[in-house]
Amino acid sequence: SIQDAVGKANPGDLIRVYPGTYHETVYIDKDNISLQGVIQKGKWPTLDGSKDGEVVLNDGILYSGSNILIENFTVTNYKGNGIMGQAGNNFLIRNNQVIGTGIYGIFPEFGKNAIYVGMCDNIDVKYNEVYESVAGIEIENCRHALVEGNYTHNNTGGILAFITPGLPIKTCYDVIIRNNFVINNNHENFGKPGAIISMLPKGTGIIVMAADDVIIENNIITGNGNTGIAITDLSFGAQLSKDPEVEPNPDRVVILDNV
């Protein structure tokens, strides 16, 4: 199993995983581990959370170490998240296919110098294709983020930058959303009832909710049946719990040179 290899690995090791189907959850609690899928003749290593046709496992890959590399995997059929991080810094998650997960595809938290995000600082989300999700690309309670060169289509909402009240980090600011294609995001919202994204209306291109110092620049935004760009305060999510430490208004938002 992949987990056996991780258990034997030392910091600095590269673990190469060959094509095949692996029914497991992989936990990485060490620093400086590289987990690299080997693609041969179009075949990928696949992490599959189902057994006998039923989804039984919660997450595909969970890591807490820093300087983690995860690349070239297909991750599918998990109840929770495809790839999730807790407090690791300087990680790189690239060239993965995440399909059919119950909550998030890729969801690091509490990290710095990151690709893809929740409650993180210094983030790049670049050159991804995201489709058939509720929230295509989501910048949640993060600071210093660049969302660039992505193609988001057939989601409920294409790109989101927002504050969720009640989390340990209370702000979201300095977000640049530029040079993206945000096309035909009209998918039905299948988010879990009560979750903040379950309130997102289908047909939303880009939405900024309560985030500050956001630049939306040079994007192509078309075919989104509800709105191209929406800027709103926290009253948009009427069911959100009140958090006295969160400032609910979006300030200093720039919308420039979009189509």
Side-chain angles (χ1 to χ4, degrees):
S1 74
I2 301 171
Q3 187 62 53
D4 286 346
V6 172
K8 295 175 183 177
N10 296 310
D13 280 352
L14 167 66
I15 300 168
R16 307 189 78 205
V17 181
Y18 282 80
T21 301
Y22 303 82
H23 296 281
E24 59 181 309
T25 296
V26 178
Y27 302 92
I28 306 173
D29 59 357
K30 308 171 184 180
D31 293 339
N32 301 301
I33 297 294
S34 296
L35 195 62
Q36 182 185 69
V38 178
I39 303 170
Q40 294 181 318
K41 297 180 180 179
K43 295 183 178 180
W44 293 51
T46 299
L47 279 159
D48 189 333
S50 67
K51 292 184 179 180
D52 300 322
E54 182 181 356
V55 177
V56 295
L57 298 178
N58 195 62
D59 298 300
I61 299 173
L62 290 169
Y63 68 86
S64 58
S66 293
N67 301 301
I68 300 295
L69 168 67
I70 301 168
E71 67 177 348
N72 302 343
F73 285 89
T74 296
V75 185
T76 190
N77 298 327
Y78 285 89
K79 292 181 179 179
N81 307 288
I83 301 170
M84 184 172 187
Q86 288 286 327
N89 296 328
N90 306 312
F91 53 86
L92 184 57
I93 301 170
R94 67 184 178 196
N95 200 41
N96 299 284
Q97 303 178 106
V98 184
I99 304 162
T101 55
I103 303 177
Y104 291 111
I106 302 173
F107 188 38
E109 290 187 307
F110 302 112
K112 294 183 179 180
N113 310 323
I115 295 182
Y116 219 73
V117 292
M119 293 185 285
C120 293
D121 296 313
N122 309 324
I123 302 133
D124 286 348
V125 182
K126 301 173 71 173
Y127 312 123
N128 302 282
E129 181 181 4
V130 187
Y131 56 93
E132 296 181 7
S133 302
V134 175
I137 293 174
E138 176 179 309
I139 305 298
E140 178 190 34
N141 297 44
C142 294
R143 291 76 62 92
H144 316 302
L146 173 62
V147 180
E148 182 174 33
N150 302 282
Y151 174 33
T152 66
H153 61 100
N154 197 28
N155 306 286
T156 304
I159 300 174
L160 294 72
F162 65 94
I163 295 175
T164 297
L167 297 180
I169 292 177
K170 308 294 185 181
T171 56
C172 182
Y173 59 80
D174 186 21
V175 179
I176 300 173
I177 301 169
R178 71 183 180 202
N179 301 331
N180 301 282
F181 292 89
V182 186
I183 311 294
N184 297 332
N185 290 284
N186 299 304
H187 200 290
E188 291 292 335
N189 190 321
F190 54 89
K192 182 179 178 181
I196 187 170
I197 57 171
S198 70
M199 307 171 197
L200 182 66
K202 71 175 184 179
T204 301
I206 297 174
I207 184 167
V208 176
M209 186 174 71
D212 298 330
D213 300 294
V214 179
I215 298 174
I216 301 171
E217 182 178 20
N218 201 36
N219 302 281
I220 304 295
I221 308 164
T222 186
N224 306 288
N226 180 45
T227 185
I229 300 173
I231 313 297
T232 179
D233 63 10
L234 281 179
S235 65
F236 172 82
Q239 302 175 41
L240 291 176
S241 62
K242 302 300 181 182
D243 187 337
E245 297 182 63
V246 170
E247 201 284 308
N249 300 300
D251 299 306
R252 299 173 302 279
V253 177
V254 177
I255 302 173
L256 180 68
D257 291 335
N258 300 282
V259 176

Tab-separated table of all heavy atoms in Angstrom, residues 151-156 182-187 203-204 221-225:
chain	number	residue	atom	x	y	z
A	151	TYR	N	-9.650	27.960	-15.709
A	151	TYR	CA	-10.848	27.777	-16.522
A	151	TYR	C	-11.883	27.114	-15.626
A	151	TYR	O	-11.761	25.935	-15.287
A	151	TYR	CB	-10.525	26.924	-17.741
A	151	TYR	CG	-11.709	26.540	-18.612
A	151	TYR	CD1	-12.810	27.387	-18.769
A	151	TYR	CD2	-11.705	25.341	-19.312
A	151	TYR	CE1	-13.881	27.036	-19.579
A	151	TYR	CE2	-12.771	24.986	-20.142
A	151	TYR	CZ	-13.848	25.831	-20.261
A	151	TYR	OH	-14.907	25.479	-21.069
A	152	THR	N	-12.886	27.889	-15.188
A	152	THR	CA	-13.940	27.362	-14.333
A	152	THR	C	-15.245	27.371	-15.119
A	152	THR	O	-15.676	28.412	-15.605
A	152	THR	CB	-14.090	28.194	-13.041
A	152	THR	OG1	-14.539	29.505	-13.366
A	152	THR	CG2	-12.772	28.283	-12.298
A	153	HIS	N	-15.867	26.190	-15.225
A	153	HIS	CA	-17.091	26.089	-16.013
A	153	HIS	C	-17.996	25.007	-15.433
A	153	HIS	O	-17.543	24.048	-14.809
A	153	HIS	CB	-16.765	25.776	-17.479
A	153	HIS	CG	-16.036	24.477	-17.695
A	153	HIS	ND1	-16.668	23.328	-18.105
A	153	HIS	CD2	-14.724	24.148	-17.551
A	153	HIS	CE1	-15.789	22.354	-18.217
A	153	HIS	NE2	-14.595	22.817	-17.884
A	154	ASN	N	-19.292	25.209	-15.619
A	154	ASN	CA	-20.322	24.256	-15.181
A	154	ASN	C	-20.237	23.958	-13.685
A	154	ASN	O	-20.455	22.833	-13.246
A	154	ASN	CB	-20.259	22.954	-15.989
A	154	ASN	CG	-21.544	22.147	-15.857
A	154	ASN	OD1	-22.622	22.703	-15.632
A	154	ASN	ND2	-21.445	20.832	-15.966
A	155	ASN	N	-19.915	24.969	-12.897
A	155	ASN	CA	-20.049	24.900	-11.445
A	155	ASN	C	-21.291	25.703	-11.042
A	155	ASN	O	-21.889	26.385	-11.865
A	155	ASN	CB	-18.812	25.479	-10.763
A	155	ASN	CG	-17.531	24.824	-11.240
A	155	ASN	OD1	-17.231	23.697	-10.895
A	155	ASN	ND2	-16.764	25.548	-12.053
A	156	THR	N	-21.670	25.657	-9.779
A	156	THR	CA	-22.706	26.576	-9.296
A	156	THR	C	-22.168	27.999	-9.309
A	156	THR	O	-22.821	28.929	-9.771
A	156	THR	CB	-23.165	26.184	-7.889
A	156	THR	OG1	-23.608	24.822	-7.896
A	156	THR	CG2	-24.304	27.071	-7.421
A	182	VAL	N	-14.309	32.324	-16.877
A	182	VAL	CA	-15.389	31.946	-15.957
A	182	VAL	C	-16.647	31.796	-16.812
A	182	VAL	O	-17.331	32.776	-17.115
A	182	VAL	CB	-15.547	33.010	-14.854
A	182	VAL	CG1	-16.555	32.562	-13.807
A	182	VAL	CG2	-14.194	33.297	-14.189
A	183	ILE	N	-16.963	30.567	-17.198
A	183	ILE	CA	-17.884	30.317	-18.305
A	183	ILE	C	-19.008	29.364	-17.872
A	183	ILE	O	-18.757	28.281	-17.331
A	183	ILE	CB	-17.139	29.681	-19.505
A	183	ILE	CG1	-15.857	30.450	-19.845
A	183	ILE	CG2	-18.064	29.567	-20.702
A	183	ILE	CD1	-16.062	31.848	-20.363
A	184	ASN	N	-20.261	29.763	-18.097
A	184	ASN	CA	-21.415	28.852	-17.987
A	184	ASN	C	-21.458	28.113	-16.646
A	184	ASN	O	-21.630	26.890	-16.603
A	184	ASN	CB	-21.398	27.828	-19.141
A	184	ASN	CG	-21.548	28.482	-20.498
A	184	ASN	OD1	-22.161	29.544	-20.625
A	184	ASN	ND2	-20.965	27.876	-21.516
A	185	ASN	N	-21.342	28.846	-15.569
A	185	ASN	CA	-21.435	28.231	-14.244
A	185	ASN	C	-22.894	28.253	-13.789
A	185	ASN	O	-23.319	29.139	-13.051
A	185	ASN	CB	-20.514	28.965	-13.266
A	185	ASN	CG	-19.053	28.708	-13.582
A	185	ASN	OD1	-18.527	27.643	-13.296
A	185	ASN	ND2	-18.411	29.678	-14.215
A	186	ASN	N	-23.636	27.244	-14.241
A	186	ASN	CA	-25.080	27.181	-14.003
A	186	ASN	C	-25.512	25.843	-13.401
A	186	ASN	O	-26.660	25.441	-13.523
A	186	ASN	CB	-25.819	27.411	-15.321
A	186	ASN	CG	-25.512	28.779	-15.915
A	186	ASN	OD1	-25.707	29.809	-15.269
A	186	ASN	ND2	-24.999	28.797	-17.141
A	187	HIS	N	-24.585	25.163	-12.744
A	187	HIS	CA	-24.889	23.845	-12.181
A	187	HIS	C	-25.798	23.973	-10.963
A	187	HIS	O	-25.681	24.918	-10.178
A	187	HIS	CB	-23.594	23.136	-11.771
A	187	HIS	CG	-23.708	21.655	-11.637
A	187	HIS	ND1	-24.414	21.044	-10.622
A	187	HIS	CD2	-23.197	20.649	-12.403
A	187	HIS	CE1	-24.331	19.736	-10.760
A	187	HIS	NE2	-23.600	19.471	-11.834
A	203	GLY	N	-25.528	29.876	-11.367
A	203	GLY	CA	-25.383	30.936	-12.349
A	203	GLY	C	-24.524	32.088	-11.875
A	203	GLY	O	-24.628	33.189	-12.412
A	204	THR	N	-23.645	31.857	-10.893
A	204	THR	CA	-22.783	32.911	-10.345
A	204	THR	C	-21.384	32.784	-10.943
A	204	THR	O	-20.758	31.728	-10.837
A	204	THR	CB	-22.712	32.809	-8.818
A	204	THR	OG1	-24.031	32.933	-8.276
A	204	THR	CG2	-21.830	33.910	-8.240
A	221	ILE	N	-15.817	36.556	-18.561
A	221	ILE	CA	-16.904	36.062	-17.710
A	221	ILE	C	-18.167	36.054	-18.557
A	221	ILE	O	-18.679	37.112	-18.924
A	221	ILE	CB	-17.081	36.968	-16.475
A	221	ILE	CG1	-15.750	37.163	-15.752
A	221	ILE	CG2	-18.132	36.408	-15.528
A	221	ILE	CD1	-15.743	38.310	-14.768
A	222	THR	N	-18.674	34.868	-18.878
A	222	THR	CA	-19.807	34.824	-19.800
A	222	THR	C	-20.659	33.581	-19.570
A	222	THR	O	-20.172	32.557	-19.093
A	222	THR	CB	-19.324	34.855	-21.270
A	222	THR	OG1	-20.439	34.950	-22.141
A	222	THR	CG2	-18.520	33.617	-21.616
A	223	GLY	N	-21.959	33.700	-19.875
A	223	GLY	CA	-22.859	32.558	-19.828
A	223	GLY	C	-23.291	32.140	-18.443
A	223	GLY	O	-23.904	31.081	-18.281
A	224	ASN	N	-22.996	32.954	-17.432
A	224	ASN	CA	-23.404	32.649	-16.061
A	224	ASN	C	-24.806	33.237	-15.861
A	224	ASN	O	-24.994	34.453	-15.887
A	224	ASN	CB	-22.401	33.232	-15.072
A	224	ASN	CG	-20.981	32.767	-15.374
A	224	ASN	OD1	-20.640	31.621	-15.159
A	224	ASN	ND2	-20.156	33.668	-15.900
A	225	GLY	N	-25.810	32.377	-15.643
A	225	GLY	CA	-27.204	32.781	-15.770
A	225	GLY	C	-27.727	33.720	-14.705
A	225	GLY	O	-28.755	34.368	-14.902
